[in-house]
Amino acid sequence: MLQQQLTTLLAQTNIALTEKQQQQLVRYVELLTKWNKAYNLTSVRLPEEMMVKHIMDSLVVAPHLPGHHYIDVGTGPGLPGIVLAIALPNTHFVLLDSLGKRVRFLMHIKHELGLDNVTPVQSRVEEYQPSVKLDGVLSRAFASLQDMVDWCGHLIDHSGKFIALKGVFPSEELESLPTGVKFEQKIALEVPNLDAQRHLIILSKD
């Protein structure tokens, strides 16, 4: 049933996934549903809702990530990092979260799905130092743009991007960006079967 739902949702996008990738996404939803009962990883309880609100909501970002090294800060149960790692097997994602139970879940997912392109890390974002040059910092429902820039500024240089997954276009947050940071681009995202606004906000260092 989940496989059929995913196929139907993908048909409404321009995202092409292999059968293996689709199976990995379905398995991820199954495991998230199972672990959620004990670990309370997400407020979305039903797997068919997760497929829209988590999987598709993350997948639509994939076409907009040109680099090969990203960090997903405050990743929670791996959103959007796990989904993007499945969709973009040649791109590496550090999945950063401060809660041990979430990182244990991510380690299980990495092993269970055979994802060699993810590195789960338990750390506060302010304390984490990347071992490679990052193309971008991703955040989904993690913090305001101001906080994202303040907490994650040390993770990228002038060639890297801050990439925030937002709902309604955050006009006020953009007006109060700190000096040294510039607004580069907004991308309106269409998520199949989701009746809500979604925007990708891309910032860089001045």
Side-chain angles (χ1 to χ4, degrees):
M1 187 173 137
L2 287 176
Q3 178 68 60
Q4 189 176 358
Q5 183 191 12
L6 179 58
T7 303
T8 303
L9 290 166
L10 284 171
Q12 299 173 59
T13 72
N14 58 358
I15 298 167
L17 297 180
T18 65
E19 192 175 329
K20 180 188 175 184
Q21 287 170 311
Q22 292 184 46
Q23 288 169 351
Q24 286 175 313
L25 288 171
V26 168
R27 186 69 184 130
Y28 172 57
V29 170
E30 290 171 349
L31 289 167
L32 181 53
T33 304
K34 179 183 173 184
W35 279 60
N36 201 36
K37 288 166 185 160
Y39 280 68
N40 199 25
L41 299 166
T42 168
S43 60
V44 180
R45 299 288 171 195
L46 299 173
E48 55 271 25
E49 275 192 56
M50 289 181 188
M51 196 60 83
V52 174
K53 293 180 178 177
H54 288 336
I55 303 304
M56 296 310 299
D57 197 49
S58 299
L59 263 185
V60 292
V61 177
H64 307 290
L65 300 182
H68 290 288
H69 291 94
Y70 290 91
I71 183 167
D72 177 11
V73 294
T75 186
L79 298 163
I82 288 287
V83 178
L84 293 171
I86 292 170
L88 303 168
N90 297 320
T91 303
H92 189 272
F93 294 87
V94 174
L95 308 178
L96 192 80
D97 204 276
S98 59
L99 268 189
K101 67 177 182 179
R102 292 178 188 149
V103 175
R104 282 193 293 280
F105 172 70
L106 294 171
M107 293 298 287
H108 181 72
I109 291 293
K110 174 184 168 82
H111 174 73
E112 186 82 11
L113 301 184
L115 296 176
D116 298 330
N117 60 330
V118 300
T119 304
V121 175
Q122 183 180 351
S123 173
R124 291 171 60 83
V125 65
E126 307 95 302
E127 295 161 5
Y128 180 72
Q129 295 295 334
S131 57
V132 297
K133 184 177 172 179
L134 295 169
D135 296 300
V137 177
L138 293 163
S139 95
R140 177 182 186 261
F142 167 65
S144 68
L145 294 176
Q146 172 97 37
D147 286 344
M148 184 186 183
V149 169
D150 288 346
W151 297 340
C152 305
H154 66 288
L155 299 175
I156 55 170
D157 61 18
H158 282 75
S159 63
K161 310 289 184 197
F162 298 101
I163 303 167
L165 286 68
K166 291 283 188 179
V168 177
F169 184 70
S171 307
E172 288 184 15
E173 289 182 36
L174 285 167
E175 284 169 13
S176 57
L177 282 177
T179 53
V181 175
K182 65 180 177 183
F183 168 59
E184 284 221 341
Q185 192 181 5
K186 69 163 182 178
I187 301 167
L189 301 170
E190 292 289 334
V191 182
N193 290 18
L194 188 68
D195 185 22
Q197 289 188 47
R198 286 291 183 268
H199 290 90
L200 205 58
I201 304 299
I202 301 175
L203 313 172
S204 65
K205 292 186 175 181
D206 249 340

